[in-house]
Amino acid sequence: AASDVYKRQGLDYEDTYSPTTTTALIFYMLHICSVYKMYKSTFDVSSAFLEGDADAVLYARLPGVITKDGKPLRVKINGNWYGEKQAGRVWNKKFDDIMKLMKFQRCPMMPCLYKWKNGDDIMFVIVHVDDGLLIATNESLFEGFMNEFLIHITKATHSMNFDQYLKMEICDTNDHRIQVSQYEYLISHFRQANKVVHTPMSTSVNLRVQVANPNNDSLLPDTGRFRYLADRTRPDILVATSEISIGGAAAPSDEHIRAKERLIDYLSATSQVSLILGGTDDIQLFGYSDAAYITDGNAKSRLGGCLFLGLYSGAFYSYSRSDTIKSSISHSSTEAEIKAIDELAREVEYWLEILKFTGVEVKLPVKIFVDNKSAIELCRVLKTTHQVKHINVRIHYINDLIVRGILELLFVPGEYNVADILTKGLPRESHERHGEVLLHGHDGKLWYEMLACAVSMVSVER
């Protein structure tokens, strides 16, 4: 029987997880590394799953050619081994114990993030199974960390001059920002473009009403590769990826096949595109929320949102998803917009806790830009009627954040709502304008004046 209290046979013995970090957290830490002019490095633990002590007594039978007195041998395993299902969990428990011995504090919201502070010296550790990212105020802290860390494990390598982390290429730019891309992955997994296209999907095709074709192979392998890019450094393809996935798992339509080919052409034509993080301006948390009200085919509205940490940095967090299965189909565009605001509001609360843990102060309320005045008004004045009673919980939640001064909803014209690129296919001009802001930030006087104008306009209306 398992000895670890977290491994009770018959109840949770099959738990095999090892906490993994999120891409958004990596982008967040790279952003503050750039803004606060901190230093970064990586470490990799060799044979990490052999480091911990097994949470159960383990035995192994040796190959039949190894016998004693003609009988097969069974031996007891010292330590842990890769064959154990719980190896990842065992390693993470040991790593956490080591971090505690080294006086690191674990983040309650994200178990992969640790913080150490001594006066003005600060170090953050992000661990993804056995791959670590170090952020520190002083380069000398890295050597001290590794020297103490190596006391507790067998072997680990440390790199100050790294250009990849979790298969994402990372490099510093000439303007003191950080560029993150997946160029190598993209060119190794997708063919060269058959033709140059400027948007990832057509605005005139609705994949949700297409007729399945049993002669077409599943698009799951392709959508998996698309998703690997979209969820990391290419949020500009989130909508196309998601729409291809709906109906593309089995017997995709001919239109799904054409949409896939178009997306590959787009990726090939934009293979050099990257996400830019950091900057010289103070950290400020703000975002955009939007929704596409869908009534045809799979009538789940598409909800989109993104969060920024500064005007001159790309979005560190972006999402585009169909309304959750458990939720009812939206009855109006305003209802869909409220659901989108609710999704982003929960992310705001989460990231405010992360900011607090890392010691970053931001000015409240957090501004969320929305292009639906009705949704803003319903949430702001808590106007509940029989028409919206089924989403009262969402409205009350958003209103509570507004009343407490955590959130502020501001109207912005649709053509300036960056989250529009996360809800639907757009014409080239709109796609390129929103994509530039989503990936590179609000560079240029025009965008800065637009935001100031949007805020001013709402203030006047109120």
Side-chain angles (χ1 to χ4, degrees):
S3 58
D4 191 318
V5 295
Y6 299 106
K7 293 287 175 294
R8 290 163 290 183
Q9 192 168 6
L11 180 61
D12 51 12
Y13 187 71
E14 296 302 316
D15 287 351
T16 60
Y17 75 93
S18 179
T20 55
T21 188
T22 65
T23 306
L25 179 65
I26 296 172
F27 294 164
Y28 168 74
M29 295 307 301
L30 289 175
H31 183 91
I32 67 172
C33 177
S34 169
V35 171
Y36 294 129
K37 297 179 173 59
M38 300 174 76
Y39 299 89
K40 59 185 183 295
S41 67
T42 61
F43 69 88
D44 176 55
V45 179
S46 302
S47 303
F49 286 4
L50 299 180
E51 291 288 347
D53 295 322
D55 56 1
V57 179
L58 303 175
Y59 295 90
R61 294 189 183 278
L62 297 182
V65 294
I66 304 176
T67 62
K68 183 178 181 180
D69 300 329
K71 297 180 180 180
L73 288 180
R74 188 184 75 158
V75 296
K76 182 179 179 180
I77 303 298
N78 293 324
N80 201 23
W81 65 346
Y82 276 94
E84 190 196 9
K85 286 186 176 182
Q86 289 76 33
R89 168 72 181 184
V90 170
W91 155 245
N92 185 262
K93 186 177 184 301
K94 174 162 184 175
F95 181 83
D96 184 53
D97 291 340
I98 295 172
M99 290 292 99
K100 290 175 181 176
L101 288 173
M102 296 173 63
K103 308 301 182 185
F104 277 82
Q105 179 184 356
R106 194 176 199 176
C107 178
M109 293 69 63
M110 171 52 70
C112 298
L113 174 62
Y114 294 83
K115 176 181 70 175
W116 175 89
K117 191 176 189 300
N118 183 18
D120 293 333
D121 291 332
I122 302 174
M123 175 180 282
F124 298 105
V125 177
I126 302 173
V127 62
H128 185 89
V129 188
D130 56 357
D131 292 310
L133 176 64
L134 302 174
I135 307 289
T137 52
N138 193 317
E139 263 187 316
S140 63
L141 295 176
F142 296 144
E143 183 179 356
F145 171 85
M146 290 305 300
N147 287 340
E148 187 173 355
F149 186 56
L150 285 168
I151 294 174
H152 305 283
I153 64 170
T154 305
K155 183 181 179 182
T157 56
H158 179 238
S159 175
M160 286 292 300
N161 300 313
F162 67 97
D163 56 10
Q164 282 196 5
Y165 183 64
L166 302 184
K167 296 185 178 180
M168 292 184 291
E169 293 107 61
I170 299 172
C171 69
D172 298 321
T173 66
N174 294 330
D175 57 354
H176 308 292
R177 295 189 291 176
I178 295 176
Q179 176 179 293
V180 189
S181 65
Q182 291 172 281
Y183 174 74
E184 291 184 8
Y185 178 86
L186 197 155
I187 62 173
S188 64
H189 287 81
F190 297 103
R191 58 163 174 74
Q192 292 296 308
N194 289 329
K195 58 181 179 180
V196 176
V197 294
H198 301 282
T199 60
M201 65 182 298
S202 170
T203 59
S204 60
V205 175
N206 183 357
L207 294 179
R208 302 190 183 203
V209 298
Q210 302 301 317
V211 179
N213 184 345
N215 295 320
N216 290 332
D217 294 331
S218 169
L219 294 181
L220 280 177
D222 296 290
T223 53
R225 287 188 283 268
F226 293 148
R227 179 63 63 184
Y228 190 76
L229 292 167
D231 290 338
R232 288 164 175 77
T233 63
R234 296 300 301 269
D236 56 320
I237 67 166
L238 272 170
V239 172
T241 299
S242 297
E243 289 299 309
I244 292 172
S245 299
I246 298 175
S253 69
D254 293 342
E255 200 61 55
H256 277 78
I257 302 299
R258 284 189 284 270
K260 179 205 74 171
E261 295 298 322
R262 179 192 178 101
L263 182 50
I264 292 175
D265 287 338
Y266 172 77
L267 285 171
S268 179
T270 60
S271 60
Q272 298 289 345
V273 168
S274 60
L275 176 66
I276 302 296
L277 302 166
T280 57
D281 57 326
D282 294 335
I283 291 180
Q284 52 180 316
L285 183 64
F286 66 94
Y288 296 84
S289 172
D290 196 19
Y293 177 48
I294 298 173
T295 58
D296 296 327
N298 178 345
K300 293 287 186 180
S301 297
R302 179 159 295 284
L303 314 179
C306 51
L307 288 174
F308 294 80
L309 290 164
L311 286 178
Y312 306 110
S313 173
F316 77 100
Y317 173 78
S318 303
Y319 75 89
S320 174
R321 62 178 69 102
S322 289
D323 195 1
T324 53
I325 296 175
K326 293 181 180 180
S327 298
S328 60
I329 293 175
S330 296
H331 296 79
S332 66
S333 59
T334 296
E335 180 179 334
E337 294 280 359
I338 289 174
K339 290 178 179 179
I341 296 170
D342 176 69
E343 291 277 336
L344 196 61
R346 283 181 278 168
E347 288 296 331
V348 167
E349 274 208 298
Y350 172 79
W351 284 104
L352 284 175
E353 291 298 317
I354 298 286
L355 285 158
K356 181 179 178 181
F357 176 80
T358 54
V360 177
E361 294 184 4
V362 293
K363 184 180 179 181
L364 296 178
V366 175
K367 293 177 172 58
I368 299 298
F369 296 96
V370 185
D371 59 13
N372 187 298
K373 292 182 180 180
S374 298
I376 294 175
E377 197 66 10
L378 281 169
C379 296
R380 189 177 68 85
V381 303
L382 197 60
K383 183 178 181 180
T384 56
T385 69
H386 72 282
Q387 293 176 314
V388 295
K389 61 185 179 183
H390 58 296
I391 54 171
N392 273 352
V393 172
R394 294 178 186 263
I395 294 174
H396 275 267
Y397 169 66
I398 299 167
N399 176 262
D400 179 64
L401 294 179
I402 294 173
V403 171
R404 289 161 53 198
I406 295 174
L407 207 67
E408 181 180 14
L409 303 182
L410 299 172
F411 176 78
V412 64
E415 61 266 30
Y416 294 119
N417 188 348
V418 178
D420 200 28
I421 196 175
L422 302 170
T423 62
K424 63 182 76 71
L426 298 174
R428 178 181 176 181
E429 181 181 356
S430 298
H431 178 83
E432 290 180 347
R433 182 174 68 248
H434 291 322
E436 176 68 20
V437 178
L438 187 68
L439 292 165
H440 299 158
H442 302 72
D443 274 334
K445 185 178 179 181
L446 177 63
W447 275 106
Y448 189 90
E449 290 178 350
M450 182 283 300
L451 288 176
C453 177
V455 174
S456 173
M457 179 180 62
V458 173
S459 300
V460 170
E461 287 185 351
R462 290 184 178 178

